[in-house]
Amino acid sequence: MNRIDKKFKDLKKKNKKAFIAFITAGYPNLDTTRKLVLEFAKNGVDIVELGVPFSDPMADGPIIQEASQESLKRGVNLNDILKLVKTLRKDTDIPLCLMTYYNPIFCFGEEKFARKASGSGVDGVIIPDLPPEEAATFIESAKKYDLDIIFFLAPTSTKERMKFISGVSRGFIYYVSLTGVTGVRKKLPSDLINNLKAVKKNTRKPVCVGFGVSSAKQVRQIYKIADGVIIGSAIIRRIKENIGRPDLVKRVGGFIRKLKI
């Protein structure tokens, strides 16, 4: 049982839901990323997603795209992020996932990536542009090194698709709340709760909702039916608003506490 499975088991025992925070690794720099992860752990974040900056992030909206571009300008790459995770493991056991695209993994080598990621302390990987039907070899490598691959469901997913994803996804299932890219939305989709009920009927795995979630009110709404919530763009925006301030990490940590209320 890796850290993600243990986290969901512990949360279930306590009748609690997961709060998952996404940040782009290297934005505004890797040292701040390290400090943010430790601050999140102190503030009750259950899982951290570290976004691997990529030049063609098809699933990301403008806020995360901008953060990725800034990180890429500083030369941040996959090796840097794995080194960062290895350093973080000296200070925290918080479950860590990488959210990346397939191209960096392909260039790295599937087997080598799975081995190095797991060896560095990564617990799971989320790859928006890798269909599970084309991921057989990577799924095999990931299992070998106890690295979860978290696959997606969306409002367009059929019942058959829900069952298929439930069979191949490990750790949890990432439910995309809307048909579009990441980004802050004022309201959740009107059909979200009914869609989640349909998903929950077709899987026993934890289902966490991301894309468009940005307020404590939305978090509470999602907690009524899902097993967790994922927030990214709203956190990245708060980081951007505080770049240059010496208390950036504390301010973003305070924002997290408000979202969790």
Side-chain angles (χ1 to χ4, degrees):
M1 181 181 294
N2 74 13
R3 295 181 190 89
I4 296 173
D5 296 327
K6 186 175 183 302
K7 173 57 69 176
F8 279 106
K9 189 176 178 182
D10 291 346
L11 288 169
K12 191 173 182 180
K13 278 184 185 175
K14 297 173 183 173
N15 198 27
K16 290 186 174 181
K17 305 299 177 76
F19 186 97
I20 303 173
F22 169 96
I23 50 175
T24 300
Y27 181 71
N29 53 61
L30 285 170
D31 185 52
T32 302
T33 301
R34 183 183 64 81
K35 291 174 180 174
L36 283 169
V37 172
L38 298 177
E39 182 72 12
F40 289 175
K42 283 197 299 184
N43 284 286
V45 171
D46 297 298
I47 298 172
V48 175
E49 280 184 30
L50 289 175
V52 177
F54 184 57
S55 57
D56 186 21
M58 58 180 282
D60 296 324
I63 295 174
I64 294 178
Q65 282 187 25
E66 181 181 348
S68 289
Q69 286 299 318
E70 291 299 318
S71 184
L72 286 171
K73 283 180 188 174
R74 288 172 171 78
V76 174
N77 58 43
L78 195 48
N79 272 315
D80 295 330
I81 296 166
L82 294 179
K83 287 177 186 173
L84 170 68
V85 172
K86 201 165 189 175
T87 302
L88 278 165
R89 282 293 171 236
K90 296 175 183 174
D91 300 308
T92 180
D93 273 333
I94 191 169
L96 294 170
C97 295
L98 297 187
M99 185 161 181
T100 182
Y101 291 87
Y102 181 65
N103 187 274
I105 294 175
F106 176 76
C107 293
F108 208 88
E110 289 181 343
E111 170 91 13
K112 181 182 173 186
F113 170 81
R115 175 170 46 81
K116 288 203 70 170
S118 179
S120 299
V122 174
D123 302 293
V125 59
I126 302 165
I127 314 167
D129 61 349
L130 180 62
E133 294 87 349
E134 299 176 18
T137 56
F138 186 53
I139 289 173
E140 188 176 335
S141 296
K143 278 184 181 176
K144 182 178 175 182
Y145 294 101
D146 198 21
L147 183 70
D148 287 348
I149 305 181
I150 294 128
F151 287 107
F152 290 83
L153 284 174
T156 53
S157 299
T158 62
K159 184 177 177 180
E160 290 71 27
R161 187 71 177 171
M162 292 174 193
K163 290 181 177 178
F164 176 64
I165 293 297
S166 177
V168 295
S169 193
R170 295 180 64 201
F172 63 92
I173 293 170
Y174 194 127
Y175 184 80
V176 177
S177 74
L178 44 82
T179 51
V181 296
T182 63
V184 174
R185 268 81 167 183
K186 291 182 179 177
K187 291 183 178 179
L188 295 174
S190 58
D191 56 355
L192 176 61
I193 298 301
N194 285 336
N195 288 340
L196 283 171
K197 286 179 179 176
V199 172
K200 294 291 287 180
K201 284 181 182 175
N202 288 283
T203 183
R204 297 182 67 181
K205 291 187 174 167
V207 178
C208 300
V209 179
F211 285 46
V213 189
S214 60
S215 70
K217 180 182 177 183
Q218 293 170 338
V219 171
R220 286 195 296 271
Q221 288 176 304
I222 290 169
Y223 276 172
K224 289 178 182 175
I225 184 69
D227 302 287
V229 67
I230 304 156
I231 299 186
S233 294
I235 297 173
I236 297 293
R237 186 169 67 180
R238 190 55 57 106
I239 292 171
K240 180 181 178 181
E241 290 169 352
N242 288 283
I243 286 177
R245 296 185 65 108
D247 57 350
L248 179 152
V249 172
K250 293 290 181 189
R251 282 175 171 265
V252 178
F255 178 61
I256 294 290
R257 288 196 298 276
K258 289 179 182 176
L259 286 172
K260 284 176 61 63
I261 291 173

